[in-house]
Amino acid sequence: DTAVSQTPKYLVTQMGNDKSIKCEQNLGHDTMYWYKQDSKKFLKIMFSYNNKELIINETVPNRFSPKSPDKAHLNLHINSLELGDSAVYFCASKGTGGIEQYFGPGTRLTVT
Amino acid sequence: DQQVKQNSPSLSVQEGRISILNCDYTNSMFDYFLWYKKYPAEGPTFLISISSIKDKNEDGRFTVFLNKSAKHLSLHIVPSQPGDSAVYFCAVGGGKLIFGQGTELSVKP
């Protein structure tokens, strides 16, 4: 069984479009994250939710809006896509009291 | 400004020998230190961690060493196997993890 899953795995779209990436975890974790891995391979945290509440919001453009309908899901909606949004986006989750985060397989977003 | 640095972008090691991956950090307030392994087209996989109150943690072939005075973290893999070939990321923090930029390890048969 997949612990942290993301859909889609690949997403190619044009500038100006709006797109969503979905994430689900079946680990029973309370905290979920979105990371962006840019062309230089840095993994940078974007958002974190704990029990559906936003707890970390890095300096991310407000075109990016995370939504957590329940603690097992954290979706990422991106408005007005720009070329610089092209990256691999990873979802992750962590249990209460745990340190390690468990990552999904990533979504490669290409904006043309 | 990078708070976590992995200065070697790549490392090549012979099968059976030791692989040593290094990581430096700037903030002495970090509580936890982790290593992740990543294969192409997959997400990072947690390997091993250490808290700031320890200086060594071992799990099978993997050992993490922490030198707090030098703000330095290392991962030793011994013996190295071809299946260990991957990108290794160090990460520091607690609730929020800050990642290094990764070291690509290649273990040659």
Side-chain angles (χ1 to χ4, degrees), chain B residues 15-16 39 80-86 105-109:
Chain B
E15 181 179 6
Y39 293 118
S80 300
Q81 299 172 355
D84 296 330
S85 297
L105 173 66
S106 174
V107 180
K108 300 188 185 308

Short mmCIF file of all heavy atoms in Angstrom, two decimals, chain B residues 15-16 39 80-86 105-109:
data_model
loop_
_atom_site.label_atom_id
_atom_site.label_comp_id
_atom_site.label_asym_id
_atom_site.label_seq_id
_atom_site.Cartn_x
_atom_site.Cartn_y
_atom_site.Cartn_z
N GLU B 15 32.41 -0.78 -4.52
CA GLU B 15 31.58 -1.69 -3.74
C GLU B 15 32.40 -2.32 -2.61
O GLU B 15 33.55 -2.74 -2.81
CB GLU B 15 31.02 -2.79 -4.64
CG GLU B 15 30.12 -3.80 -3.93
CD GLU B 15 29.57 -4.85 -4.87
OE1 GLU B 15 29.96 -4.88 -6.05
OE2 GLU B 15 28.73 -5.65 -4.42
N GLY B 16 31.80 -2.39 -1.42
CA GLY B 16 32.48 -3.01 -0.28
C GLY B 16 33.25 -2.02 0.57
O GLY B 16 33.58 -2.31 1.72
N TYR B 39 16.01 8.08 -4.92
CA TYR B 39 16.23 7.53 -6.26
C TYR B 39 15.54 8.42 -7.28
O TYR B 39 14.58 9.14 -6.94
CB TYR B 39 15.65 6.12 -6.36
CG TYR B 39 16.36 5.09 -5.52
CD1 TYR B 39 15.70 4.41 -4.50
CD2 TYR B 39 17.71 4.77 -5.75
CE1 TYR B 39 16.34 3.44 -3.73
CE2 TYR B 39 18.35 3.82 -4.98
CZ TYR B 39 17.66 3.17 -3.98
OH TYR B 39 18.30 2.22 -3.23
N SER B 80 29.59 -0.43 1.37
CA SER B 80 28.74 0.17 0.34
C SER B 80 28.33 -0.89 -0.68
O SER B 80 29.12 -1.79 -1.01
CB SER B 80 29.49 1.30 -0.37
OG SER B 80 29.87 2.30 0.55
N GLN B 81 27.10 -0.76 -1.17
CA GLN B 81 26.56 -1.70 -2.15
C GLN B 81 26.06 -0.92 -3.37
O GLN B 81 25.65 0.24 -3.22
CB GLN B 81 25.40 -2.51 -1.54
CG GLN B 81 25.80 -3.34 -0.34
CD GLN B 81 24.62 -3.98 0.35
OE1 GLN B 81 23.46 -3.74 0.00
NE2 GLN B 81 24.89 -4.82 1.35
N PRO B 82 26.04 -1.55 -4.54
CA PRO B 82 25.55 -0.82 -5.74
C PRO B 82 24.15 -0.25 -5.56
O PRO B 82 23.84 0.83 -6.07
CB PRO B 82 25.60 -1.90 -6.82
CG PRO B 82 26.70 -2.81 -6.40
CD PRO B 82 26.61 -2.85 -4.89
N GLY B 83 23.30 -0.94 -4.81
CA GLY B 83 21.95 -0.44 -4.55
C GLY B 83 21.90 0.81 -3.71
O GLY B 83 20.85 1.45 -3.60
N ASP B 84 23.04 1.19 -3.12
CA ASP B 84 23.11 2.44 -2.35
C ASP B 84 23.25 3.65 -3.26
O ASP B 84 23.16 4.78 -2.79
CB ASP B 84 24.30 2.40 -1.38
CG ASP B 84 24.17 1.33 -0.31
OD1 ASP B 84 23.03 1.00 0.06
OD2 ASP B 84 25.21 0.81 0.13
N SER B 85 23.50 3.43 -4.53
CA SER B 85 23.66 4.54 -5.47
C SER B 85 22.37 5.34 -5.54
O SER B 85 21.31 4.82 -5.91
CB SER B 85 24.03 4.01 -6.86
OG SER B 85 25.28 3.34 -6.83
N ALA B 86 22.46 6.60 -5.14
CA ALA B 86 21.28 7.46 -5.03
C ALA B 86 21.77 8.86 -4.66
O ALA B 86 22.97 9.08 -4.46
CB ALA B 86 20.32 6.94 -3.97
N LEU B 105 25.63 9.75 -4.72
CA LEU B 105 26.57 8.65 -4.45
C LEU B 105 26.48 7.61 -5.55
O LEU B 105 25.38 7.16 -5.91
CB LEU B 105 26.26 8.00 -3.10
CG LEU B 105 27.05 6.75 -2.75
CD1 LEU B 105 28.53 7.07 -2.58
CD2 LEU B 105 26.50 6.09 -1.49
N SER B 106 27.62 7.23 -6.07
CA SER B 106 27.68 6.17 -7.07
C SER B 106 28.58 5.07 -6.52
O SER B 106 29.76 5.32 -6.22
CB SER B 106 28.25 6.71 -8.39
OG SER B 106 28.43 5.66 -9.31
N VAL B 107 28.03 3.87 -6.34
CA VAL B 107 28.81 2.73 -5.84
C VAL B 107 29.06 1.80 -7.01
O VAL B 107 28.14 1.23 -7.59
CB VAL B 107 28.07 1.99 -4.72
CG1 VAL B 107 28.92 0.82 -4.22
CG2 VAL B 107 27.74 2.95 -3.58
N LYS B 108 30.34 1.65 -7.35
CA LYS B 108 30.70 0.86 -8.53
C LYS B 108 31.05 -0.57 -8.15
O LYS B 108 31.74 -0.80 -7.16
CB LYS B 108 31.88 1.52 -9.23
CG LYS B 108 31.60 2.94 -9.70
CD LYS B 108 32.71 3.49 -10.55
CE LYS B 108 32.48 4.94 -10.92
NZ LYS B 108 31.15 5.20 -11.51
N PRO B 109 30.52 -1.54 -8.92
CA PRO B 109 30.81 -2.95 -8.62
C PRO B 109 32.29 -3.27 -8.80
O PRO B 109 32.99 -2.62 -9.57
CB PRO B 109 29.97 -3.72 -9.64
CG PRO B 109 29.05 -2.73 -10.26
CD PRO B 109 29.65 -1.38 -10.08
#
